[in-house]
Structures are given as structure tokens and as C-alpha cells.
Amino acid sequence: MPRDSRTPLIQKIAKQAHITFKGWKPSTSGDNKLFAEQQGELVSLVTAVRAADLKIAPRKSNSSTGAAELQSPPVTYMHICETEVFSMGVFLLRSGASIPLHDHPGMNGMLKVLYGKVSVRCFDKLENNLSVGSAPPQLEPPLALYQTSSLRRSVLRSVVELSETSGPCLLTPLRDNLHQIDTVEGPAAFLDILAPPYNPDDGRDCHYYKVLQTVSQGGPEGKSNEEQQGEEEEEETWLLEIPQPDDFWCGGEPYPGPAVSF
């Protein structure tokens, strides 16, 4: 039997992620045939991964609302590996938990559900933000004057529900770069690959946003997933950059799966 068949799948994924994103540049990736082929190989590997491959047991829903649960983080993270090229880990979300709308500046990403089900809403910022001296949009509720500098024009690209049988959800610096992740009907976990990793010193800090609603048209906050998924045209909307929400924080826990090495 070939030796490669004994290599853990997560090691193969890490190796292919390194190959795919090493030397990656935003200016050339769109027309780079080699990058597309390498990314396709990575997608194939990530599509096959399951919770059992990482020795992660699906969590059960907990209906308790005791003090211990209320004080525990709604989301935890299992660190697998991080290099200058990419980072990889697993996010575990309690039933009813959400990862607020946030961005990935200049980054690629892959999200693969390991158990449970999540709803992912993807946005992109548009270039023509509110210019100095221009009239702000009519929002409900209206913003304070000082908040207009934090307004970002954006477009809702897609709303999808993903389970362990779904392929990975991809993001690039220019497409689906902002997303919000909500659990659906119970706890969930997903493998997360980011390339390059977050690094504030290199201009890759994480920013959080709130979807706003204009007076003239209802925003996506008031629509069901089915209504949003059924929309054929992408919807332009406004986002407000905000601090990390008080009700969201992420804890850490040990990764129990096969070790990854380079």
C-alpha cells in the first residue's frame, strides 16, 4: 500500500494549503491557471474531511441556561497550525451561537462544516463609499453624525446553508470577503483555513460590521433565509463598522486530532 495512504487527511490538507498559497499575490491569482489548479486540489481534499478525521465528537445541544453556560464562550477555537502562508483551525459553535459579520482584509479563506449546520451570509464592500460632504443615506434608525465616517457601501452576495455533506465555502480578497455565520438547529463546527493569516501589523486586522436598513427599502435583517436565497439579484446595502460585539467572544480548547508538521 502506498505510504501516502497512511498520511492523515489533515496533513494532506495542510501541505496542499501551503503549496496553493505560497507566493500567492492578489494581483495575479485571478488569471493564474496554476493557482486555480492548486486551489482545486485543496478544495477536493477539504471537501472530504469529516469530524472523525480530526477526532472531534459532535457536541450535543444543551438546553440548560445555568450560570456556567451563560459565562462560557459561545464559540471556541481549536488551533491546528499557523505559518506565514496560512492558518488552520476549527471553530466550535454552541447551539444558537453566531460569529458576527466580519472581514478578511486581503485574505483567502475556506470554511468546511464538520458537523451540524450553519447559515453563511456573504457580503463585499463596494468602492464608492460615502464621500466627504455628500448626504448620508436615510437609515432607520438614523445614525449620529460622527458615525457616518464608519459607513461602508456593500452588496449582499449570497446566503447559504451548509452541512457536513456540503463542499467548502470560499472567500477571496474581492469576493464574499465579509461573512456572518449562524448555527441552524443545534451546535456546529467547521474547519477554517485563512491565507495569509490575520496580522494587524501587515494590515490584516479583523473588523466587525452591522447591517443597516434604509427607510426606502427593507434590509436583509428583516428577511428569511429562504427569501434571501431566492433573490436573483445581488442586493446593495450599507454596513456600519462597529467594535467587537459585547455578546461575542471566542475561547480556546485543545485540538485532539493528528498533529500537522512541515
Side-chain angles (χ1 to χ4, degrees), residues 104-256:
H104 309 79
M107 300 157 68
N108 295 281
M110 287 192 185
L111 179 164
K112 172 62 174 70
V113 174
L114 299 173
Y115 67 77
K117 185 185 295 184
V118 299
S119 173
V120 184
R121 299 171 60 198
C122 299
F123 294 78
D124 282 320
K125 285 184 276 188
L126 301 177
E127 294 295 330
N128 52 340
N129 285 323
L130 193 65
S131 59
V132 177
S134 60
Q138 289 187 298
L139 301 169
E140 184 61 44
L143 296 181
L145 184 60
Y146 73 89
Q147 293 177 300
T148 57
S149 62
S150 298
L151 275 178
R152 304 288 182 268
R153 190 187 298 271
S154 71
V155 61
L156 173 63
R157 295 289 189 195
S158 63
V159 181
V160 296
E161 285 192 358
L162 304 172
S163 68
E164 64 178 318
T165 59
S166 305
C169 180
L170 308 184
L171 65 87
T172 76
L174 299 176
R175 185 78 182 188
D176 298 335
N177 189 262
L178 293 79
H179 61 206
Q180 176 175 322
I181 303 166
D182 304 293
T183 56
V184 179
E185 300 172 354
F190 61 86
L191 179 70
D192 187 69
I193 300 174
L194 294 176
Y198 282 115
N199 185 340
D201 293 336
D202 285 339
R204 297 190 303 276
D205 201 0
C206 183
H207 309 91
Y208 294 90
Y209 301 88
K210 177 182 179 181
V211 181
L212 302 178
Q213 183 171 326
T214 62
V215 174
S216 58
Q217 59 182 142
E221 292 283 1
K223 299 181 181 180
S224 68
N225 284 349
E226 291 78 7
E227 288 175 320
Q228 293 176 52
Q229 289 169 339
E231 292 178 351
E232 295 181 0
E233 295 185 1
E234 296 172 337
E235 180 179 349
E236 188 172 312
T237 187
W238 287 90
L239 304 179
L240 179 68
E241 185 174 337
I242 60 173
Q244 178 174 319
D246 293 336
D247 59 355
F248 171 74
W249 72 103
C250 187
E253 58 180 292
Y255 164 64

Side-chain angles (χ1 to χ4, degrees), residues 45-110:
L45 291 170
V46 171
T47 298
V49 74
R50 296 292 185 268
D53 295 312
L54 309 184
K55 298 183 179 180
I56 295 175
R59 308 289 169 88
K60 295 181 179 179
S61 298
N62 189 349
S63 58
S64 171
T65 57
E69 183 180 351
L70 293 176
Q71 293 176 3
S72 63
V75 178
T76 55
Y77 182 74
M78 294 179 174
H79 172 81
I80 298 178
C81 66
E82 181 169 332
T83 70
E84 291 183 354
V85 176
F86 76 101
S87 64
M88 182 164 64
V90 176
F91 283 96
L92 302 98
L93 288 73
R94 289 191 332 208
S95 180
S98 297
I99 297 180
L101 183 61
H102 62 284
D103 63 2
H104 309 79
M107 300 157 68
N108 295 281
M110 287 192 185

